[in-house]
Structure formats: structure tokens, C-alpha cells
Amino acid sequence: MEDNSSQPDIPFAGAARPLVAIIALCHNHAPYLRAALDSILAQDYAPLEVWLVDNASTDGSPAMLREYAAAHPDWHLLLLPENVGNCRAFNQALGQSTGEFVVDFATDDVLLPQRLSQQVALFQRLPPDYGMVYSNCEHITEAGQSLGLHHRPDGRGQLRPRPASGWVFEQVLSRYFISSPTMLMRRDTLRALGGYDATLSYEDFDFWVRASRDWRFQYQDVVTTRKRKHPRSMSAQATRTHDPYLDSTLAVCRKALALCRTPAEARALARRLRHELAHALRRRQWAAARQASQLLVDVVGRVVGLRGQA
């Protein structure tokens, strides 16, 4: 697989910069919101199309969003009267935006100032079948203290989790390695997928699976984002005894089964399902465990069937 991440960034002189849409999704992020919105203002990249989307917050977030929208009249403000979920809220802004590239920005996180200039420069030297670039990120506490990097060097100089670039469908099925807040997505890719699947509780795994089937991904070895860890974050909820996202994960695995074209891809999905089955059993989510077990049987059958076609 080709790796363009180590090539120097290309200046934008002589070419128009593509429009980047930042879709900033907020739900009760008042303690973190100013830092997030100020990080948009600190970007050294233009032109930007900013969409502020509040998903029926019950704290002071809507007032803060109104304040920033009033101070920046070119920003767009969507105050949703009821919580429609992250996927549907994102799609509402996506459908009205026009940027060639799109950032799904949770407003409890922070963008570093060169985030977009670095990622767009990388995108512009990649072939058009690259649908997403992603990078390293720094995890931080509620108070903004560093918890370390997402991709960390091990004793042999390799990053863990190991990033992957190019055609990564098989790797996306078998392991977690992409830091979602760092993604810059091509609008054409999102359009081809019909946006996020609004029936799901969360979006990233489904996007990775569906997009990586027909589009290449590229890792850029720079830190572009700070991801905040706090008790109300989506990642924190996924570690609780009752994982509210497990049903969506299994739904994505069923989609992935239909997309597998080789025995190796199906075996990668089987590895994922064994992990999800163990996850469900540990949390005593018996219905999800039964679903995972049946799906695993179907995947094993798919492996056998694909071997027969080889």
C-alpha cells in the first residue's frame, strides 16, 4: 500500500483552496464548548463552512451557540427541538452544507490550529478514490490534561494501534485503529453512502465499513486533535455494564457480512464477532450475545462458501 503520510505538505499557492465543512455537534457540552468553538476560530485554514448543531441540550449550550453564531454571521446554527441522535443530527447539517471535505466535530473535543491545512494538503495529493484521511490524536481529561496519544510508539518504534492506509476493509473489520475525531471525509464518499445510517446509535464503525469497501483511507502521522475523555462521552458509555451501542455494532457486522468478498475478509469479521460476543457475555447482555453467536455462525458459513468460489 502506498503511504503518503511522510511526504512534506504542499503549499496552496496557485490553486484555490477547497471548502471544508465543519459540522459541530453538541449535546450538553457547555463545560467544553468554548474551547471547541475557539479551536475552529484558531484554524490556519480557509475557506470554512461551519455548522453549529445542538441536539436538544438541556444545559447552557444553546445560549453559547447563539452567541458564537451572532458573532460570526457566516456560521450556520441548527437548534434541534428534540434529541434525534448523532447520526440524524449530522445528516441534517450535511444535507445543507456544500464543502468538498467534511469534519464531524464533537464539541467536547479540540481541533489543533493546523489540523485542516495539514489534512487538506494531504488529500490534494492523493488520488480521487481516497475517501478519508485520519491522523493521530491526544487524549485529554475533562480539565484538559494530557492522557497520551491514541497511536503510541512501542519499544520497536512501531505505532500501537498500528495505522493502516490504502484498501483497509479487511483491517477495519478485525480491529480498532482509527481515531474517529481526526477524520476528514470526502463529500463524494458521504454522498455515495447516503450519509450516516440514521437507524444506528453511533456512526464511525458503519462509516469505516461501508466507505472502505469502495474508497481508500490514508493515515497522516501528525497530531491534529485533542479528544476529551469524560463520563458523558460516547466512548465512556460504551464501557459501561449496559453498552447502548452494541446493537448498532452487530447491525454493522451484518452489513459487513454482505460486503465480504474473500475468505480473509470473512475471517476478519469473525474475529470482530468473537470479540463482540465476549463483550456481550461479560456485560450479561444475553439478547445481544445470541445475535452475535448466530451472526458468527453465518460468517463461518460465508468463509466456507467463499473458499468454494476461489
Side-chain angles (χ1 to χ4, degrees):
M1 296 179 183
E2 61 182 306
D3 184 355
N4 296 279
S5 60
S6 61
Q7 297 180 17
D9 286 340
I10 298 173
F12 293 97
R17 289 183 169 199
L19 180 65
V20 175
I22 298 179
I23 299 177
L25 297 176
C26 178
H27 178 67
N28 290 341
H29 287 163
Y32 325 113
L33 189 52
R34 290 193 185 279
L37 300 182
D38 287 346
S39 78
I40 296 176
L41 294 171
Q43 291 300 298
D44 66 359
Y45 182 90
L48 295 180
E49 177 187 22
V50 179
W51 288 82
L52 305 179
V53 185
D54 185 77
N55 210 353
S57 292
T58 55
D59 61 3
S61 297
M64 236 177 288
L65 292 170
R66 289 190 186 96
E67 174 192 331
Y68 275 79
H72 306 283
D74 56 329
W75 288 15
H76 307 271
L77 179 62
L78 291 178
L79 299 177
L80 303 180
E82 60 179 346
N83 191 322
V84 297
N86 272 19
C87 296
R88 186 170 281 109
F90 175 86
N91 284 347
Q92 288 197 25
L94 178 67
Q96 300 177 66
S97 66
T98 60
E100 182 178 343
F101 300 109
V102 180
V103 177
D104 178 351
F105 179 41
T107 54
D108 50 355
D109 296 332
V110 177
L111 307 174
L112 296 184
Q114 293 183 309
R115 154 90 184 248
L116 296 178
S117 60
Q118 290 173 319
Q119 290 189 318
V120 172
L122 173 59
F123 239 135
Q124 290 196 302
R125 65 173 181 262
L126 292 170
D129 65 348
Y130 276 81
M132 188 267 280
V133 301
Y134 68 105
S135 63
N136 207 342
C137 85
E138 179 186 18
H139 296 286
I140 58 174
T141 66
E142 282 191 270
Q145 298 169 323
S146 179
L147 295 170
L149 298 180
H150 178 80
H151 297 282
R152 307 186 187 198
D154 61 17
R156 295 173 294 180
Q158 302 297 313
L159 293 177
R160 295 290 183 268
R162 186 177 72 258
S165 296
W167 298 109
V168 299
F169 178 75
E170 181 182 329
Q171 297 188 63
V172 159
L173 294 183
S174 64
R175 63 189 183 91
Y176 168 67
F177 58 93
I178 298 170
S179 174
S180 303
T182 71
M183 297 192 306
L184 180 65
M185 298 170 282
R186 190 184 295 275
R187 171 174 294 277
D188 286 348
T189 303
L190 284 163
R191 184 184 294 118
L193 300 179
Y196 289 161
D197 182 342
T199 68
L200 300 175
S201 300
Y202 73 105
E203 69 292 332
D204 50 13
F205 182 38
D206 183 64
F207 173 81
W208 300 337
V209 168
R210 293 194 295 142
S212 64
R213 178 73 286 174
D214 297 312
W215 301 78
R216 287 189 279 179
F217 293 177
Q218 181 65 45
Y219 175 69
Q220 188 174 36
D221 193 16
V222 293
V223 178
T224 64
T225 308
R226 292 192 176 106
K227 176 179 173 59
R228 198 179 305 271
K229 300 284 193 176
H230 59 88
R232 296 172 301 283
S233 67
M234 292 182 68
S235 57
Q237 293 181 55
T239 64
R240 294 177 182 171
T241 300
H242 177 69
D243 180 352
Y245 306 116
L246 185 52
D247 287 343
S248 288
T249 299
L250 295 177
V252 176
C253 287
R254 186 160 294 282
K255 291 185 190 182
L257 174 58
L259 295 173
C260 288
R261 297 172 183 168
T262 68
E265 291 172 353
R267 286 194 297 270
L269 179 57
R271 286 193 293 274
R272 163 76 65 159
L273 280 166
R274 291 187 189 99
H275 168 80
E276 300 302 339
L277 175 57
H279 177 80
L281 291 172
R282 282 195 304 272
R283 286 159 174 75
R284 299 185 178 183
Q285 294 182 245
W286 308 125
R290 286 191 293 271
Q291 291 181 49
S293 180
Q294 181 55 58
L295 189 51
L296 183 57
V297 171
D298 295 342
V299 171
V300 171
R302 179 73 167 160
V303 172
V304 173
L306 289 168
R307 281 176 179 164
Q309 297 173 19

